[in-house]
Amino acid sequence: MVEEVRIQGLGVIDEAVLELSPGFNVVTGETGAGKTMVVTSLGLLFGGRADPQRVRPGAERATVEGRIIVDPGGKVVERVEEAGGELDDGALIVTRSVSAEGRSRAHLGGRSTPVSVLINLADDLVAVHGQADQQRLLQAGRQRSALDRYAGDELTKPLRAYTSAYQRHRQVSALLDELTTRARDRAQEADLLRFGLEEIEKVDPKPGEDTELATEEERLGHADALRTAATTAHEALLGDPTAVVAAADAVGLLGSARNALEAVRGHDPALATLADRLAEVGYLLADAGGELASYAESVEADPTRLAVVQERQAALTTLTRKYGASIDEVLAWSARSAQRITELDGDDERIEELRGEHEELTERLRELAGELTAVRTRAAERFSKAVTDELTALAMPHARIVVSVTQAADFGAHGADEVELRLASHPGAPPLPLHKGASGGELSRVMLAIEVVFAGADPVPTFVFDEVDAGVGGKAAVEIGRRLAMLARNAQVIVVTHLPQVAAFADQHLLVEKSDDGTVTRSGVTTLDRDGRIRELSRMLAGLEDSELGRAHAEELLALAAAER
């Protein structure tokens, strides 16, 4: 249950504390005092839309803090712990603030949390029913959703199976549509890919071939210069064997230097070491000279081979210009394209497979939709009777609710059913849609009857009603108070009302009152004792708090309500 709510800077409320009790809590006050802000504050606590226009003029932000008693071993505590929050002496503290600029913040159990977490928790903690909810319930989709909620677990399993089949049916339908409507585009794509593959196949490139050919072309194009350089270097190292007069060469000079050192190496170890190093250098130079001679002999100018290499490079360049920056990338494109052609060529077979699956899914949907219709039809009969019984208790003994379940033209996300609530207001009257068959007062009672039935089918710890009794008076108002009191036997009920007949049945009466200091209106909330309740009920009845007749009537109402509770 919601134990306490603290409100700051919300609408006309500067600062207020609502101390709520188990059972039936009623909130009353003059028009404009801020009663609706009480419901707004509860809505904010449980993830409602943050409207910066609700922030009190002059205030930086509106803040609502709620203290909620929860089951220590229940799902709510598990979700709170998952969000990193914790309980405070067995109570959950929820805080929501909205700045004047529209920024919203939420805290759960002492930890900052996304507003979506509060919305998820609300399903297990509170059901808010306001005037806007009445209008939403007039919508066909909301009526179908309401019936599904009433049907409960009996509908859950077939609806889950239907939803899964429906989603796959849509996927298969989309694939079929794409494959059949884009046949020409796919054929053109396949032709382009085949042309590219044929062009690559004719050239038959090898991995890394472009790099190897570039190296070979560079060598063939500079063969004379390479041979001349190698020959010159060989002569510098080993001399020219064809020369008549031998010229000095690096190896010969090095040999002379080594011979000079070898003659005296025995006299100084340091000089012997240098002689050994010259010997090593001599071996290296001799090897290098021999390799240069072999290289010079191997280098030949081959114009024919150069032409072949350049022609092959031109063919490869044509491929790299179209299909990739290198031959390796061209070959990768070729592999991908071959796979894509296989996919495109297999579309006809794929279409047949999808058509078969589509037919199977359609038949499956038809079966599952039939199950949903059967469950909804049974639930509609129970729901109609339950709401009709409630209307009898709400001073509409001749009214009858009919829930119409009809087949739609096609499958939808929730089946093939169209659900509509209809009201026959008196015997012999045809059942009409709610917005046509009910007056304002009747509609309020119908909505309350529906909500009371929902409360039995889908119980939550706390119910909030915002002027659900609008447009009702007299005996019907007494019956509404009686039904709300009955609902409060098993749950906490918070009601914003302007009817004294309803307020008299409350276990706790909260008064929202405003005071004017000449500059700004401030509203606060007071818990009334018995005398305060008599004064407030008298005001609601006669418009005068101290009217003797009004007080007598108020005491009579309280006595009646006490006797029935």
Side-chain angles (χ1 to χ4, degrees):
M1 56 163 277
V2 180
E3 185 179 51
E4 182 181 272
V5 178
R6 294 181 176 270
I7 307 171
Q8 289 182 321
L10 183 64
V12 299
I13 298 179
D14 180 35
E15 185 170 356
V17 178
L18 280 74
E19 295 181 352
L20 301 168
S21 70
F24 189 178
N25 299 265
V26 70
V27 180
T28 66
E30 295 182 0
T31 301
K35 299 188 298 297
T36 301
M37 290 301 101
V38 173
V39 177
T40 301
S41 68
L42 291 169
L44 283 173
L45 275 185
F46 296 105
R49 187 175 70 90
D51 186 355
Q53 295 183 354
R54 294 289 192 181
V55 178
R56 181 177 172 81
E60 294 183 359
R61 65 182 62 252
T63 303
V64 181
E65 179 183 289
R67 182 179 178 86
I68 305 168
I69 305 300
V70 296
D71 178 6
K75 292 190 299 182
V76 171
V77 174
E78 291 182 8
R79 294 184 181 180
V80 171
E81 291 175 347
E82 288 174 0
E86 57 185 15
L87 301 185
D88 178 21
D89 292 334
L92 173 63
I93 307 299
V94 181
T95 305
R96 181 84 182 278
S97 64
V98 182
S99 70
E101 292 79 22
R103 293 189 298 273
S104 171
R105 293 182 179 177
H107 289 79
L108 182 69
R111 293 293 297 272
S112 178
T113 189
V115 175
S116 59
V117 176
L118 300 186
I119 296 174
N120 291 333
L121 284 179
D123 293 337
D124 296 316
L125 291 175
V126 67
V128 180
H129 299 288
Q131 297 180 49
D133 296 274
Q134 292 187 19
Q135 297 303 315
R136 286 197 295 269
L137 196 55
L138 295 178
Q139 302 169 6
R142 298 280 297 185
Q143 294 180 10
R144 192 267 315 147
S145 177
L147 181 63
D148 286 358
R149 184 157 58 96
Y150 179 78
D153 294 339
E154 185 182 4
L155 187 73
T156 301
K157 185 175 180 180
L159 183 57
R160 187 183 297 118
Y162 175 89
T163 301
S164 176
Y166 177 77
Q167 291 173 347
R168 179 56 186 167
H169 187 270
R170 292 191 64 184
Q171 293 173 354
V172 170
S173 297
L175 284 172
L176 268 176
D177 182 64
E178 179 183 2
L179 291 176
T180 54
T181 58
R182 294 185 55 209
R184 179 180 301 175
D185 293 340
R186 295 197 316 279
Q188 292 176 351
E189 180 185 358
D191 286 344
L192 288 174
L193 293 176
R194 287 192 181 92
F195 175 81
L197 289 175
E198 290 174 1
E199 190 173 16
I200 294 172
E201 186 178 353
K202 287 179 181 178
V203 176
D204 191 22
K206 302 296 186 294
E209 184 181 2
D210 50 344
T211 303
E212 295 174 1
L213 288 175
T215 301
E216 186 177 0
E217 182 195 23
E218 188 72 14
R219 181 181 178 184
L220 290 171
H222 300 83
D224 291 338
L226 291 172
R227 185 171 57 252
T228 299
T231 300
T232 301
H234 174 268
E235 291 176 355
L237 293 177
L238 296 176
D240 182 2
T242 63
V244 177
V245 179
D249 58 74
V251 173
L253 293 173
L254 188 62
S256 298
R258 179 187 173 195
N259 291 334
L261 296 179
E262 286 289 343
V264 294
R265 67 177 295 155
H267 304 301
D268 189 345
L271 198 62
T273 300
L274 291 173
D276 292 340
R277 291 173 63 186
L278 288 177
E280 293 177 4
V281 173
Y283 298 145
L284 291 174
L285 288 178
D287 288 344
E291 291 180 9
L292 285 170
S294 299
Y295 178 83
E297 292 178 0
S298 68
V299 176
E300 296 182 2
D302 189 347
T304 302
R305 176 59 185 168
L306 179 61
V308 171
V309 169
Q310 291 175 337
E311 183 179 356
R312 180 66 175 173
Q313 278 190 310
L316 296 180
T317 300
T318 300
L319 298 182
T320 55
R321 191 168 53 245
K322 294 181 179 181
Y323 307 111
S326 66
I327 289 301
D328 288 344
E329 292 186 17
V330 170
L331 293 172
W333 181 92
S334 176
R336 292 194 303 271
S337 298
Q339 182 178 359
R340 177 59 177 161
I341 287 177
T342 301
E343 294 174 358
L344 293 172
D345 289 343
D347 278 351
D348 291 339
E349 182 179 347
R350 178 63 173 153
I351 287 173
E352 291 303 316
E353 292 177 357
L354 288 173
R355 281 176 177 164
E357 185 178 1
H358 188 271
E359 292 177 1
E360 293 177 0
L361 286 169
T362 301
E363 184 60 31
R364 176 66 173 156
L365 282 180
R366 189 175 291 109
E367 295 175 0
L368 291 171
E371 291 183 32
L372 294 179
T373 299
V375 173
R376 285 180 176 136
T377 300
R378 291 193 296 270
E381 293 175 357
R382 299 194 306 272
F383 183 76
S384 299
K385 184 179 184 307
V387 175
T388 299
D389 291 344
E390 288 295 328
L391 289 178
T392 300
L394 290 172
M396 293 178 65
H398 305 297
R400 179 169 55 93
I401 282 287
V402 176
V403 182
S404 171
V405 180
T406 58
Q407 294 294 300
D410 201 356
F411 299 118
H414 305 282
D417 300 321
E418 292 181 349
V419 177
E420 185 177 49
L421 298 181
R422 298 176 181 177
L423 174 67
S425 56
H426 56 83
L432 298 175
L434 289 182
H435 65 281
K436 295 181 179 179
S439 64
E442 288 175 333
L443 183 58
S444 294
R445 278 179 281 176
V446 169
M447 292 302 162
L448 178 57
I450 290 172
E451 288 159 350
V452 170
V453 170
F454 279 159
D458 186 21
V460 292
T462 299
F463 292 88
V464 181
F465 297 94
D466 181 16
E467 297 195 15
V468 72
D469 50 17
V472 177
K475 183 178 180 181
V478 175
E479 295 298 334
I480 289 176
R482 183 178 288 115
R483 302 309 290 173
L484 289 170
M486 291 176 60
L487 180 61
R489 294 174 185 172
N490 300 310
Q492 182 185 42
V493 176
I494 304 169
V495 177
V496 175
T497 183
H498 65 282
L499 293 180
Q501 297 93 328
V502 173
F505 281 87
D507 298 305
Q508 178 165 279
H509 193 145
L510 303 174
L511 173 63
V512 181
E513 51 187 350
K514 58 183 179 180
S515 59
D516 196 340
D517 60 5
T519 58
V520 65
T521 298
R522 300 173 182 270
S523 292
V525 180
T526 304
T527 302
L528 300 179
D529 56 16
R530 179 174 175 79
D531 187 61
R533 292 189 70 183
I534 292 174
R535 285 176 55 83
E536 173 63 7
L537 291 177
S538 178
R539 181 197 65 79
M540 297 171 72
L541 285 163
L544 300 171
E545 293 88 338
D546 298 319
S547 165
E548 291 297 328
L549 291 176
R551 291 178 64 87
H553 192 180
E555 291 179 350
E556 183 182 2
L557 274 178
L558 286 174
L560 171 66
E564 297 208 8
R565 286 205 308 274

